[in-house]
Amino acid sequence: MSSRPARRSAVTVAALCSTLLVLPPAANAENADDAGNAGTAARTDGVRIHDIQGSTRISPLAGRPVTGVPGVVTGVRGFGSARGFWLQDPRPDRDPATSEGIFVYTGKQTPQVRAGDTLRVSGTVGEFYPGGKGSGGQSLTQLTDATWTVHGHGHRLPAAFRLTPRSVPEAYAPDAGGGSIEGRTLRPGRYALDRYESLEGMRVSVRNARVTGPTSRYHDLFVTSDPGQHRTRRGGTFYGSYAAQNGARVKVSSLLDLDTRPFPVANVGDRLRGTTEGPLDYDQYGGYALRATELGTRQDRRLRRERTRPQRRDELSVATYNVENLSPRTEPAKFDRLATALVKNLASPDIVTVEEVQDDTGPADDGTVSAGKTLRMLADAVRKAGGPAYEWRQIDPEDGQDGGQPGGNIRVAFLYNPERVSFTDRPGGDATTPVGVADHAGTPALTASPGRIAPQDPAWEASRKPLAGEFRFRGRPVFVLANHFSSKGGGDLEGDQPLYSRFQPPTRYSEPQRVEQAKLVNSFVREVRAVDPDAVVVAGGDFNDFPFSPSLDALRAGGALTSPMDRLPRSEQYGYVFQGNSQALDHILTSPGAGRPRYDIVHINAEFADQASDHDPSVVRIRLR
């Protein structure tokens, strides 16, 4: 781990005025950045932190200068470009909606203060939106252009507010019909987001907290303050509906020197034993975050990577695996780990739909679209790991038209074991020609194999196009569709507002595109089944949406496809962990002709700090009649 930058010179310390001027509150909470700008020449003396924070998300003094604000330093951020310290008033008011803490921003300059210093601070009240106001996130009330005088050292820190199942409400946020909740009076006893906002900048703590999101490369993780909240079988927190956001989740990062106090490398289900405490902050990558001045010790719960059973001779196994931006520029160790997973953990599936296969020059934006080298390297790694001699099929996209990492030209592809299945090649498939379904004496056949489904439809703008392939297993045709729907993050298009947005409920801007994509795939499946209602169709991939979403409803419409995942216990229906929520974005759906396949999500990545991909693979085993 690299050491953090050394402390630099302090900001100027200034003497304070003592005149109290009373200013009117900001005229409008949504426009608090502009409210009161005309009055910035006036000064506000004698206010305390709870006066600055107010009882809504926006300070009533936003844009105004304040002087002589008293408090105790509770934490210092002495690294990065957003340095500063947290100040907390040890004399709280009686209003639970008003926070007693605030962040004092010093930019790239490390403040020469330490925890326990008692200060009086002057500065300008500001509302900062991490990620920009347009990202939809909430704002962080802070003081900028600050000066201060030190009045003492070694003061006892205010007691940390304990986050528990009783102190953090189950209800997540007030419903504003998609509008802003900024101007609403906080109800910290009613909503989780209001509770956190009422503690913004204050010391908070969790004790013996269970990890629900593994340690990232940025030295942070997610814990839950409610160990019973929608617990998964392996120790995570299950995200099962838009109305169950799991408000007990909170992000944890560290204010400690990583060289002397390394951040714990934890997996889902581990615990931070003891007390973890520090100021409560807010960022764009997870919302409210505990910036630890004291870190619990990792208690290893010995989470193990799973292995699925081998398919039987008369079972067709079809898997899906998002290999996360794989290209020849990827480190060899990742190829080896992916290959070992396919062979050992997935028991060498007969067919694999692979997502995020990049072109042969990876993120280099040089016009290359072929991916033969990428797939050859993966197939060679599988053979080296003791697996089958996989062959592959794919179609090169048009340069820069399928979204993903710029220059990477990600696409979906098929790997298949020719010793177990055969691929029916039919010419005509290319980046822009749509595949159709022909009727060969009552047997469906693809007009091109492989072929892309409606590749020129506007629904696929800046998104990967599905790939259809015709296989044969034990003499019977099987139609497999590889998918990678548009991202929730938006990519080239507008992404969704976060769960912790100031707009509630948050708008899912990316969802309509995925719904249209799902309709196209559903329509194609119907074409196949119109020729033969008992045709075996398997649609797998990263659909970038939840089992309960309109997108998955559109895929299943009319009974064209069903979700075998539904037969798993709810606590096992996940293969992706995002901001401490265990959720399902990858799916394998089957037509009625596939019967009742056995479904398995093989947990090998998403719950672990050490990942070969951020997705877990899934597999179905189909016994054909």
Side-chain angles (χ1 to χ4, degrees), residues 7-11 110-114 117 148 150:
R7 294 180 180 269
R8 297 182 181 177
S9 57
V11 294
T110 299
Q112 289 295 310
V113 297
R114 60 176 179 246
D117 287 352
W148 57 84
V150 179

Side-chain angles (χ1 to χ4, degrees), residues 71-73 113-119 150-158:
V72 179
V73 176
V113 297
R114 60 176 179 246
D117 287 352
T118 55
L119 311 179
V150 179
H151 289 267
H153 305 287
H155 193 283
R156 183 177 180 179
L157 300 186

Side-chain angles (χ1 to χ4, degrees), residues 547-594:
F548 49 84
S549 68
S551 307
L552 269 291
D553 287 343
L555 277 168
R556 296 182 291 245
L561 293 167
T562 60
S563 296
M565 184 194 298
D566 293 344
R567 294 193 288 274
L568 294 177
R570 278 176 60 82
S571 65
E572 298 180 24
Q573 294 179 21
Y574 66 91
Y576 189 77
V577 178
F578 182 67
Q579 295 176 351
N581 270 333
S582 294
Q583 54 197 239
L585 299 179
D586 304 87
H587 306 266
I588 303 176
L589 299 96
T590 57
S591 65

Side-chain angles (χ1 to χ4, degrees), residues 251-473:
K251 184 176 177 179
V252 175
S253 66
S254 179
L255 296 176
L256 303 171
D257 188 327
L258 293 180
D259 289 330
T260 58
R261 182 61 168 92
F263 195 79
V265 180
N267 302 322
V268 167
D270 290 350
R271 291 185 183 273
L272 295 186
R273 190 169 185 175
T275 297
T276 298
E277 64 185 16
L280 189 66
D281 197 16
Y282 180 93
D283 68 34
Q284 70 187 97
Y285 303 110
Y288 293 98
L290 191 165
R291 309 300 189 193
T293 55
E294 180 179 345
L295 264 173
T297 303
R298 180 202 178 198
Q299 183 180 21
D300 186 356
R301 306 297 286 186
R302 301 187 181 280
L303 189 70
R304 295 293 178 258
R305 289 180 164 86
E306 293 184 335
R307 291 190 178 193
T308 197
R309 70 165 174 83
Q311 63 273 23
R312 299 185 178 96
R313 183 178 179 183
D314 61 346
E315 287 179 321
L316 173 70
S317 63
V318 182
T320 186
Y321 200 174
N322 183 319
V323 294
E324 195 181 9
N325 290 323
L326 189 68
S327 81
R329 297 193 177 193
T330 302
E331 61 277 9
K334 178 171 176 175
F335 279 94
D336 293 341
R337 290 189 62 183
L338 292 171
T340 298
L342 287 167
V343 176
K344 305 296 184 184
N345 302 89
L346 290 174
S348 299
D350 299 321
I351 302 169
V352 187
T353 71
V354 187
E355 298 83 51
E356 292 201 23
V357 174
Q358 290 194 343
D359 66 39
D360 291 335
T361 59
D365 195 0
D366 57 3
T368 300
V369 294
S370 63
K373 185 176 180 181
T374 305
L375 289 163
R376 167 55 63 194
M377 290 175 67
L378 180 57
D380 287 348
V382 169
R383 194 164 57 253
K384 179 183 174 184
Y390 276 131
E391 296 183 7
W392 65 86
R393 295 292 186 275
Q394 62 96 45
I395 290 177
D396 294 332
E398 294 183 293
D399 187 31
Q401 297 302 303
D402 281 24
Q405 186 178 21
N409 288 311
I410 59 172
R411 83 288 309 275
V412 295
F414 297 120
L415 295 179
Y416 69 95
N417 179 2
E419 297 298 318
R420 292 267 299 166
V421 297
S422 62
F423 190 87
T424 303
D425 287 293
R426 290 197 177 93
D430 58 31
T432 59
T433 301
V435 62
V437 180
D439 185 342
H440 289 181
T443 300
L446 300 183
T447 57
S449 179
R452 296 178 116 193
I453 297 174
Q456 294 184 304
D457 192 282
W460 305 113
E461 179 186 359
S463 181
R464 286 65 54 188
K465 287 70 175 172
L467 188 68
E470 186 175 334
F471 296 83
R472 295 191 78 83
F473 176 71

Side-chain angles (χ1 to χ4, degrees), residues 139-182:
S139 67
L140 183 69
T141 304
Q142 60 184 20
L143 293 178
T144 62
D145 302 319
T147 58
W148 57 84
T149 55
V150 179
H151 289 267
H153 305 287
H155 193 283
R156 183 177 180 179
L157 300 186
F161 182 96
R162 180 93 171 270
L163 303 178
T164 69
R166 295 188 65 180
S167 67
V168 179
E170 180 73 21
Y172 191 66
D175 188 336
S180 174
I181 59 175
E182 283 189 329

